[in-house]
């Protein structure tokens, strides 16, 4: 059955059905947690047969996990397009702008993931993915050097800024926000690296 489900995953009818379930879940999650929602409630809201739901998902947690996986793959495509160096203001600005623009264009999905990330799994994956572009300072500095946490600081700061920006209605252009992060990262991290270069 799983193989059959995968084979039909790109069918228009399948996409419509999954979107109906996803949209219904978003509505229900405004007033309830995932554990308070029943499959019957969801399928009734989506006008989808219960048997159809179970054809694609084991339960609501499985559905949530699949949504997260799809979101991560989409985010991964955005990250992998960033082939420029992040060691310059211009390069890091382009990189950060891709991230912020993706979140803005996919606001509903991004907010859904932020609020329903299972055990912070997606958050962890995204941080690991960002380290493919942003140099991992744990590989640069010695074990006893506090500067080894610099990359983690930058990534968490960018994610935090993005969430706060979304909460404020994203009034500031993604480009302007990206330039701010680029200046803080390039200028701030450069001075920090200099400061801790001879740390023992």
């Amino acid at each position: 059955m799983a193989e059959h489900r995968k084979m039909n995953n790109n069918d228009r009818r399948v996409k419509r059905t999954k979107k109906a379930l996803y949209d219904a879940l978003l509505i229900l999650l405004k007033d309830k947690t995932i554990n308070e929602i029943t499959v019957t409630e969801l399928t009734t809201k989506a006008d989808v047969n219960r048997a159809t739901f179970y054809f694609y998902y084991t339960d609501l947690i499985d559905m949530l996990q699949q949504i997260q996986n799809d979101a991560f793959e989409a985010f991964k495509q955005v990250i992998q397009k960033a082939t420029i160096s992040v060691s310059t203001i211009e390069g890091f600005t382009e990189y950060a702008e891709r991230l912020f623009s993706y979140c803005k264009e996919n606001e509903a999905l991004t907010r859904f993931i932020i609020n329903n990330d299972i055990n912070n799994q997606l958050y962890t994956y995204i941080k690991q993915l960002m380290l493919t572009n942003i140099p991992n300072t744990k590989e640069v500095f010695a074990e006893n050097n506090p500067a080894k946490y610099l990359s983690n600081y930058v990534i968490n700061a960018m994610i935090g800024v993005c969430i706060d920006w979304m909460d404020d209605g994203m009034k500031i252009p993604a480009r302007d926000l990206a330039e701010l992060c680029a200046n803080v990262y390039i200028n701030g991290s450069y001075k920090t690296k200099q400061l801790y270069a001879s740390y023992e």
Side-chain angles (χ1 to χ4, degrees):
M1 181 178 290
E3 183 179 349
H4 178 65
R5 177 174 62 187
K6 186 176 180 180
M7 286 172 57
N8 289 278
N9 213 30
N10 292 320
D11 184 270
R12 286 185 181 179
R13 185 171 51 186
V14 172
K15 288 184 176 181
R16 280 199 304 269
T17 300
K18 286 191 169 184
K19 186 177 187 311
L21 289 166
Y22 168 69
D23 290 343
L25 185 60
L26 279 183
I27 293 172
L28 292 172
L29 282 169
K30 289 180 180 179
D31 302 312
K32 299 182 177 183
T33 66
I34 191 71
N35 293 324
E36 294 173 328
I37 300 170
T38 66
V39 172
T40 298
E41 187 178 16
L42 175 65
T43 53
T44 299
K45 189 79 173 176
D47 194 22
V48 172
N49 191 284
R50 272 175 57 91
T52 301
F53 172 88
Y54 285 114
F55 181 74
Y56 299 117
Y57 310 108
T58 303
D59 51 30
L60 287 171
I61 297 299
D62 179 43
M63 178 182 175
L64 185 58
Q65 188 67 66
Q66 286 193 41
I67 291 173
Q68 287 191 339
N69 291 341
D70 291 343
F72 176 71
E73 286 305 315
F75 187 81
K76 187 176 180 180
Q77 295 301 315
V78 172
I79 293 292
Q80 290 178 335
K81 286 180 182 177
T83 56
I84 37 74
S85 171
V86 296
S87 61
T88 65
I89 294 288
E90 295 77 15
F92 196 94
T93 296
E94 182 182 336
Y95 174 76
E97 186 179 10
R98 286 180 185 274
L99 304 183
F100 296 139
S101 295
Y102 172 82
C103 291
K104 185 172 184 177
E105 292 164 8
N106 299 275
E107 181 183 359
L109 176 60
T110 303
R111 288 187 179 280
F112 172 74
I113 293 302
I114 290 170
N115 294 327
N116 299 279
D117 190 3
I118 302 173
N119 299 322
N120 289 321
Q121 288 182 352
L122 190 68
Y123 185 79
T124 301
Y125 293 153
I126 287 174
K127 284 174 61 177
Q128 291 172 348
L129 184 61
M130 289 176 73
L131 282 173
T132 61
N133 297 83
I134 298 175
N136 189 348
T137 45
K138 283 191 174 183
E139 298 175 356
V140 176
F141 294 100
E143 184 65 28
N144 66 334
N145 192 331
K148 71 177 184 176
Y149 296 111
L150 182 60
S151 294
N152 192 46
Y153 170 80
V154 170
I155 290 172
N156 279 291
M158 284 184 64
I159 294 174
V161 164
C162 186
I163 292 172
D164 205 18
W165 174 62
M166 292 179 68
D167 288 341
D168 285 343
M170 297 175 289
K171 298 170 186 175
I172 297 173
R175 180 75 182 184
D176 293 352
L177 195 62
E179 287 179 348
L180 168 68
C181 290
N183 276 286
V184 171
Y185 174 72
I186 299 299
N187 295 327
S189 64
Y190 176 73
K191 291 178 180 178
T192 301
K193 287 173 183 176
Q194 282 187 318
L195 180 65
Y196 284 94
S198 60
Y199 184 92
E200 293 182 358

